[in-house]
Amino acid sequence: MSHNPDHTRPEHAVEADEPRPRITVLSDTAEGPASIERLRDYGDIRVAHDETSLREALPGSEILLVTDFRTEALEAAWPAADSLRWVHAASAGVDQLMFDALVDSDIPVTNAQGIFDRSIAEYVLGAILMFAKDTRANIAYQQQRRWVHRDTESIFGKRVLVAGAGSIGREIGRLCKAVGMDVTGIARRARDGDEVFSAVHAADDIDAHLPDADYVVVAAPLTEATEHWFDARRFAAMAKHARFINIGRGPIVVTDDLVDALVNQQIAGAALDVFEQEPLPAEHALWGMGNVLMSAHMAGDFIGWRDALIDQFLDNLERWQRGDTLFNEVSKHHGYAPGSA
Amino acid sequence: MSHNPDHTRPEHAVEADEPRPRITVLSDTAEGPASIERLRDYGDIRVAHDETSLREALPGSEILLVTDFRTEALEAAWPAADSLRWVHAASAGVDQLMFDALVDSDIPVTNAQGIFDRSIAEYVLGAILMFAKDTRANIAYQQQRRWVHRDTESIFGKRVLVAGAGSIGREIGRLCKAVGMDVTGIARRARDGDEVFSAVHAADDIDAHLPDADYVVVAAPLTEATEHWFDARRFAAMAKHARFINIGRGPIVVTDDLVDALVNQQIAGAALDVFEQEPLPAEHALWGMGNVLMSAHMAGDFIGWRDALIDQFLDNLERWQRGDTLFNEVSKHHGYAPGSA
């Protein structure tokens, strides 16, 4: 299900005789997200923001809406979930929800697949053009009031390897292809190329394809299989002129290895929106590196994303109330929504 | 004639019995451009770099190749051009060649149309994404080692007005359209929309269309009609959230009016590759403005552009030697190559 950033939806009809679902919202603040007011028309809402408040809220709740993608409270409070029939993550990544008790249960988990794709793809294309056009140096020269002409790179025909050829990776590929780049994907299993990916190789074969890439983009979910996927060996396999872009999850990368690869000029640069530790501590070496572009886990967060997330949840809530199959159900075995990698 | 940045050409066959054309190269340095060595196989080459050396070189020369697009030497040395039959500008803009004596002559003027299109379009798309993703602030926060999350804009469906719907403007439009933006053109005369431009309006009507644009891109040649085209009135007509991008020529803009519009927040930002005075003096107010992105007249200068220019000149030289019609001939009435605006 694809949502573009300007997505709006008609009001849901509330039937007076429909039983109101009991929904707990797990937020990162005590008051919950601002958009929570919109939910009150559709169910009895309780807000939790830590383990204690979650233990109080969960008993009797049928639905859990997780808006804090960093939470570890749910695993701790899980024994209080006595009536839960559906968990929805208002994020693309569900890594914090893949603990044994939930994975082993029959409770379906859905995610926000589709919401962030377009904005993340724009972020990635912007980062690629920043590198190619040497924009970072333009800004530095401007600050020094110096007129310094250089020749810069074209992105035409340049090769992008997208590690994680799912919903987000495909949109990244689509934008890069649209502007004349050559796009290859990496997925769990190899499959035929298509209108976006000239080829999709298996994750096991990634080392054979890393040397050919001008840009390597991580768009994979964080799972046991992808944790620390990009380590010293992977960076050593990349071309010296290549740039590394991570919009997936921080722990997919061994950060110390990435810093070494950048310092030792094994790769030419990195654009990072996600980090092993978030917020990244002020003393971390990455902040000071001139060949690194950084942002605060915000690549997907276009203006209006909170409302778009609520819209998507309400679409699924309607299905749930009708007894229909939910969309964006996560494969708890793989740790992401089917078709997303 | 379109050249992509990776364009290469086969060697020209040199016929031993062909008369060698006498070519003067007007450069900005006494030794001429490095690529000049490649020309020596195809003709007798003289190099000039100012009025005095040009007066010495011109007598007897049949062809003038102008690689210094800022030169004012040609008008001054013009009386020495006793044998000239062709002037080629190795640049997209020919504004410095449109002096009366050359305009009134029968000597054809050709330009480098096509060479810089792709690179300039990439630069413009990069600037648009810089603004939308607030990348300038990301870099500032990185320097301060601060983790500051913000929601940013999507470019999906955003409106780009391209003032100058010629060869460069069309490539800008093509890339913007490819990534989901809505593109409108401004040309000398209105014409029907096409696969790139949803509409092409007449320059006389520009004020009616400026308020609708999220991005206004100047891709026009500098002519009498476009000089100081963008003044206080134009900026006042733009939306407050709009950004202004100039990759055409500096004097198309009244720079003081642009500075005022930026200071007074009549518009939200500007990306400038060209300036009324180049190099821009270090004391100029633009350098210090946080909502301005600047570069040193280099948007078109992809790695390899000098060779691409020589290739293009040699293609036309072959035609000239065969007596065929030259391509990229400039309309001396309008001041740009036909089909370029």
Side-chain angles (χ1 to χ4, degrees), chain A residues 103-126:
Chain A
V103 168
D104 294 341
S105 75
D106 293 332
I107 300 169
V109 175
T110 56
N111 76 348
Q113 184 183 318
I115 296 289
F116 301 104
D117 299 5
R118 166 78 201 190
S119 186
I120 291 175
E122 292 181 2
Y123 174 94
V124 169
L125 182 58

Side-chain angles (χ1 to χ4, degrees), chain A residues 118 149 151 179 301 306, chain B residues 118 149 151 179 301 305-306:
Chain A
R118 166 78 201 190
H149 179 281
D151 297 349
V179 296
D301 297 347
R306 290 175 185 81
Chain B
R118 167 78 202 191
H149 179 282
D151 297 347
V179 297
D301 296 348
W305 64 277
R306 290 174 185 81

Side-chain angles (χ1 to χ4, degrees), chain B residues 241-312:
Chain B
H241 72 272
R243 282 82 174 220
F244 177 78
I245 301 174
N246 188 7
I247 52 77
R249 279 283 190 264
I252 296 173
V253 174
V254 180
T255 307
D256 290 345
D257 289 359
L258 173 60
V259 169
D260 286 346
L262 288 161
V263 168
N264 300 330
Q265 298 180 299
Q266 289 185 297
I267 64 173
L272 307 171
D273 188 54
V274 292
F275 303 86
E276 284 196 270
Q277 194 179 349
E278 296 181 5
L280 190 71
E283 64 275 15
H284 200 282
L286 283 171
W287 293 108
M289 300 181 76
N291 53 352
V292 175
L293 299 171
M294 291 164 59
S295 46
H297 201 142
M298 54 187 266
D301 296 348
F302 60 94
I303 294 164
W305 64 277
R306 290 174 185 81
D307 274 331
L309 285 176
I310 296 295
D311 288 341
Q312 188 187 48

Side-chain angles (χ1 to χ4, degrees), chain A residues 42-124:
Chain A
Y42 304 95
D44 292 330
I45 307 298
R46 303 163 187 183
V47 180
H49 68 284
D50 59 10
E51 184 189 331
T52 306
S53 56
L54 189 58
R55 277 185 190 276
E56 285 169 24
L58 276 178
S61 274
E62 300 159 287
I63 301 170
L64 176 66
L65 169 59
V66 182
T67 66
D68 175 14
F69 64 85
R70 292 188 187 89
T71 187
E72 293 174 359
L74 183 57
E75 183 171 7
W78 188 251
D82 58 5
S83 307
L84 218 51
R85 291 167 53 203
W86 171 28
V87 174
H88 177 75
S91 58
V94 294
D95 37 282
Q96 292 290 10
L97 303 182
M98 294 296 104
F99 53 88
D100 289 345
L102 177 50
V103 168
D104 294 341
S105 75
D106 293 332
I107 300 169
V109 175
T110 56
N111 76 348
Q113 184 183 318
I115 296 289
F116 301 104
D117 299 5
R118 166 78 201 190
S119 186
I120 291 175
E122 292 181 2
Y123 174 94
V124 169

Side-chain angles (χ1 to χ4, degrees), chain A residues 4-6 70 118-120 122-123 125-126 129-130 132-136 138-139 141-158 174-175 178-181 273-275 277-290 292-299 301-306, chain B residues 4-6 70 118-120 122-123 125-126 129-130 132-136 138-139 141-158 174-175 178-181 273-275 277-290 292-299 301-306:
Chain A
N4 84 47
D6 293 327
R70 292 188 187 89
R118 166 78 201 190
S119 186
I120 291 175
E122 292 181 2
Y123 174 94
L125 182 58
L129 285 165
M130 282 276 298
K133 300 301 162 193
D134 204 20
T135 314
R136 186 79 182 264
N138 282 344
I139 292 170
Y141 287 129
Q142 181 177 346
Q143 288 170 338
Q144 299 160 19
R145 297 176 172 259
R146 289 175 59 199
W147 179 273
V148 183
H149 179 281
R150 292 100 64 211
D151 297 349
T152 60
E153 301 166 23
S154 171
I155 64 169
F156 187 81
K158 289 290 172 15
R174 207 183 62 73
L175 282 199
V179 296
M181 306 186 79
D273 186 55
V274 292
F275 303 86
Q277 194 180 347
E278 296 179 4
L280 190 71
E283 65 275 14
H284 199 284
L286 283 171
W287 292 109
M289 300 181 75
V292 175
L293 299 171
M294 291 163 60
S295 45
H297 200 142
M298 54 188 266
D301 297 347
F302 60 93
I303 294 164
W305 63 279
R306 290 175 185 81
Chain B
N4 85 46
D6 293 328
R70 293 189 187 87
R118 167 78 202 191
S119 188
I120 291 175
E122 292 182 2
Y123 174 94
L125 182 57
L129 285 165
M130 283 277 297
K133 300 302 162 192
D134 203 20
T135 314
R136 186 80 181 262
N138 282 344
I139 292 170
Y141 286 129
Q142 181 177 347
Q143 289 169 337
Q144 301 161 18
R145 295 175 174 258
R146 288 175 61 199
W147 179 274
V148 183
H149 179 282
R150 292 99 63 212
D151 297 347
T152 60
E153 300 166 22
S154 171
I155 64 169
F156 186 83
K158 290 288 171 20
R174 208 183 60 74
L175 282 199
V179 297
M181 306 185 78
D273 188 54
V274 292
F275 303 86
Q277 194 179 349
E278 296 181 5
L280 190 71
E283 64 275 15
H284 200 282
L286 283 171
W287 293 108
M289 300 181 76
V292 175
L293 299 171
M294 291 164 59
S295 46
H297 201 142
M298 54 187 266
D301 296 348
F302 60 94
I303 294 164
W305 64 277
R306 290 174 185 81

